[in-house]
Amino acid sequence: MEASIMDGAGRRCGAVSGLTTVKNPISLARLVMDKSPHSYLAFSGAELFAKQQGVEMLDNDYFITEDNVGMLKLAKEANTIMFDYRIPTLGSESCSAVVDNPLLTMNGLPISIYAPETVGCVVVDCHGRCAAATSTGGLMNKMMGRIGDSPLIGAGTYACELCGISCTGEGEAIIRGTLARDVAALMEYKELSLQEAVDYVIKKRLDEGKAGLIAVSSNGEVAYGFNSVGMFRGFAKENGFMEVGIW
Ligand code: ASP
């Protein structure tokens, strides 16, 4: 598991990778930001820091669920790495069969509900201060030692005085496009609005079908964009307005 958090007001950040026993990686990322002299801790060093900080740690078995074992089996059989809620086509190198077939079930549930496990959150407070955070188990059937975009500040997560951004999808594509930082850079250097910056980045900086992102700006604008099949998302405003979406 891996996670990162950034407080846009002071451009402070913290990130962790290679965790196997920390229950809430995002809490550890915040402790790296608040309680360490560093920005990013990984593998045994991150686990040691977790112990020293007294965060909740659990036996590795806690994280192994029947659903994920099933999905991993599918991915291994297809010799593929999965980054969204499609199923692998047996024998193919990438997962391309979108799941709309009601007969495709696992543990009695339609396979399409097995969404990626990444969770991102962006917030803006009443003073216009933005923050962003992203936490993930990474990609199904990833190589040992692989680090994705989620803990990388500027790729999967970024916040500054202008906005907060969190990305999801194929980490390698998000890293290549420095998606999160590019949204902020377009606002800063080209003075685009949040939605214009998000649209530009999704169109010009991201390989087709690979990812998406959620964003807020310091003036309270909410924006999202994706070119993956769908992206589970929701937002809530101070007046109680809430909205959720998938496609
Ligand atoms: N971006 C994550 C990664 O590549 C995966 C995801 O968003 O589902 O590790």
Side-chain angles (χ1 to χ4, degrees):
M1 296 169 288
E2 46 193 7
S4 67
I5 189 164
M6 186 156 185
D7 171 8
R11 296 215 186 181
R12 299 181 317 118
C13 61
V16 285
S17 278
L19 303 174
T20 54
T21 61
V22 174
K23 188 175 181 201
N24 299 303
I26 197 66
S27 304
L28 190 63
R30 182 165 186 173
L31 286 166
V32 170
M33 175 172 84
D34 288 339
K35 301 266 159 65
S36 90
H38 303 300
S39 300
Y40 191 1
L41 295 176
F43 298 95
S44 55
E47 297 269 350
L48 179 64
F49 181 66
K51 259 189 222 130
Q52 289 164 347
Q53 292 295 319
V55 302
E56 192 172 358
M57 297 174 83
L58 293 164
D59 193 80
N60 198 223
D61 290 349
Y62 169 81
F63 302 97
I64 300 172
T65 65
E66 212 182 313
D67 296 344
N68 277 332
V69 169
M71 288 306 265
L72 182 60
K73 186 168 171 283
L74 283 177
K76 279 188 186 297
E77 278 166 5
N79 190 25
T80 193
I81 298 163
M82 297 167 76
F83 72 92
D84 67 9
Y85 41 99
R86 306 169 189 203
I87 56 155
T89 312
L90 284 182
S92 76
E93 284 200 352
S94 67
C95 42
S96 57
V98 179
V99 181
D100 52 8
N101 181 345
L103 298 175
L104 290 170
T105 61
M106 191 171 73
N107 301 328
L109 294 168
I111 220 158
S112 54
I113 71 143
Y114 294 96
E117 57 220 351
T118 300
V119 178
C121 181
V122 288
V123 291
V124 55
D125 72 8
C126 60
H127 303 292
R129 292 178 300 212
C130 298
T134 315
S135 180
T136 191
L139 299 182
M140 187 65 71
N141 204 22
K142 65 186 177 183
M143 282 176 68
M144 176 101 67
R146 181 259 188 191
I147 290 172
D149 61 296
S150 305
L152 300 184
I153 297 297
T157 305
Y158 191 73
C160 61
E161 301 76 11
L162 295 172
C163 57
I165 298 108
S166 171
C167 305
T168 184
E170 192 191 282
E172 285 69 13
I174 297 168
I175 292 168
R176 281 197 297 278
T178 53
L179 289 201
R181 172 59 197 155
D182 264 29
V183 171
L186 284 164
M187 292 182 74
E188 191 176 339
Y189 303 142
K190 293 198 88 180
E191 298 184 1
L192 298 192
S193 72
L194 184 72
Q195 189 67 59
E196 284 168 345
V198 168
D199 291 345
Y200 183 95
V201 160
I202 297 292
K203 209 167 162 196
K204 304 269 193 199
R205 304 283 295 153
L206 181 61
D207 301 342
E208 190 50 44
K210 298 290 191 188
L213 59 87
I214 54 171
V216 288
S217 72
S218 57
N219 59 18
E221 208 187 337
V222 175
Y224 64 87
F226 57 92
N227 66 13
S228 45
V229 178
M231 183 177 75
F232 292 85
R233 61 194 181 276
F235 79 89
K237 289 204 160 193
E238 72 286 2
N239 62 7
F241 179 82
M242 288 188 219
E243 192 173 272
V244 293
I246 299 177
W247 311 116

